[in-house]
Amino acid sequence: MLVLGIETSCDETAAALVDDKRTIRAESVLSQTELHAPHGGIVPEIAARAHLEHLDGLIARTMRQAGAEFADLDGIAATAGPGLIGGVIVGVMTGKALALAGNKPFLAINHLEGHALSARLSHDVAFPYLLLLVSGGHCQLLIVEGVGRYRRLGTTIDDAAGEAFDKTAKLLELGYPGGPAIERAATSGDPMRFAFPRPLKGRPGCDFSFAGLKTAVRQAVENAGELSAKMIADIAASFQLAVADSLSDRTARALEVFKGQHPEGKTLVVAGGVAANALLRQRLSALAGEHGLALVAPPLKLCTDNAAMIAWAGVERLRLGLVDGLDFSPRPRWPLDPDAPKTIGAGVKA
Ligand code: KG4
Ligand code: ZN
């Protein structure tokens, strides 16, 4: 079974060919970071235009690299949400056109499902598992019971974890994207210099909050006046530790719930761009060990946005016959668990 995956929901244009033996036959990712960097964040119109300009060429290149013809495909999977609507429309329309022209099944993939199942592409992970999904747009704890079967235990009530990294990097004038820049700066910093808050730590439930932490960082930056390299490193290190602490605290609570409901569960999975963070991986690995579970983190290129995870979600769905019609409408907001209780607080992320 061979599936073409298309990803255009944010600032990466990507195409990949993945088979049901978990082999990535070919993949191409074109990052738009340089286009958005001067604006300090993603500009949706610029993103959509760039996807439109590059997607066709990227798909052609990926097919060539794999030595595959469109006739060889068993399905075409495209991210159909959640994400920036302009980009999602570009990917979905392209996927549908290819499906229609080649008379192939079309698979409308939830981007979050792509992240959620990515660990099963890189590792031999059985259902059920607990997933910490941490990216630029999302911060959630989910029990993954099977393909299409997700139960959300917690989500952010304000910012996503990656968003907190990006905003802090902006305050520290470290550029965009912020996560890798903060991690680099933190290596020479003192994580104990600033006692930043760990919002919601020790409180019941598994929700996240990063707004208070962001305010504390802003105050530290303002009090510092001139930002010396040492000050930047110390703030970055103290911030990173606060995020890692807060994410592990919430995950520890979710692990209790998961173990109570699924004593047979063996795995904690971390996915999404922030999963690239080494300190976070270290903390989660220790936490999983304490609970008798293994931590699985997909390789970095599968953690940040990519099309291999979308193609793989396509394989998983196609195997179960879960195909979509060509009338499927893109969904800019699309929760993985529609039954999850609504979280209090404004700006709840999908
Ligand atoms: O999954 P992703 O590529 O895109 C979304 O779907 O959002 O995640 C991107 C996010 C950005 O906010 C970026 O700052 C963060 O992941 N990130 C990191 C690291 N690498 C990327 N955060 C912390 N440490 C890193 N090493
Ligand atoms: Zn993502």
Side-chain angles (χ1 to χ4, degrees), residues 72-224:
D72 302 332
L73 298 178
D74 294 290
I76 291 146
T79 297
L84 300 172
I85 187 66
V88 172
I89 288 175
V90 172
V92 166
M93 293 311 288
T94 306
K96 284 180 181 176
L98 289 171
L100 183 66
N103 195 23
K104 306 284 181 188
F106 172 67
L107 302 127
I109 304 297
N110 183 318
H111 179 86
L112 301 177
E113 181 163 56
H115 280 302
L117 299 176
S118 62
R120 285 168 53 85
L121 170 57
S122 59
H123 294 74
D124 203 358
V125 182
F127 298 121
Y129 51 88
L130 180 69
L131 170 73
L132 172 65
L133 175 54
V134 271
S135 70
H138 316 283
C139 190
Q140 311 190 339
L141 278 157
L142 295 145
I143 297 179
V144 181
E145 292 175 340
V147 176
R149 290 169 49 213
Y150 307 94
R151 284 206 310 105
R152 199 175 78 190
L153 300 180
T155 186
T156 180
I157 60 171
D158 39 58
D159 291 347
E163 209 174 347
F165 271 97
D166 294 333
K167 287 177 176 171
T168 297
K170 205 170 176 179
L171 285 170
L172 296 176
E173 293 164 13
L174 288 173
Y176 171 86
I182 298 261
E183 183 165 26
R184 251 189 326 272
T187 49
S188 57
D190 172 8
M192 309 310 264
R193 176 153 173 204
F194 295 93
F196 289 138
R198 275 71 167 151
L200 299 184
K201 186 170 177 187
R203 300 262 292 276
C206 304
D207 285 336
F208 304 88
S209 165
F210 296 102
L213 174 58
K214 188 177 64 190
T215 307
V217 170
R218 178 176 299 117
Q219 273 161 3
V221 170
E222 279 165 11
N223 294 342

Side-chain angles (χ1 to χ4, degrees), residues 9-12 111 115 134-138 161-166 176-183 240 271-278 303-306 309:
S9 66
C10 195
D11 61 342
E12 267 93 20
H111 179 86
H115 280 302
V134 271
S135 70
H138 316 283
E163 209 174 347
F165 271 97
D166 294 333
Y176 171 86
I182 298 261
E183 183 165 26
Q240 182 178 249
V274 183
N277 190 276
C303 278
T304 48
D305 284 350
N306 65 88
M309 70 180 188

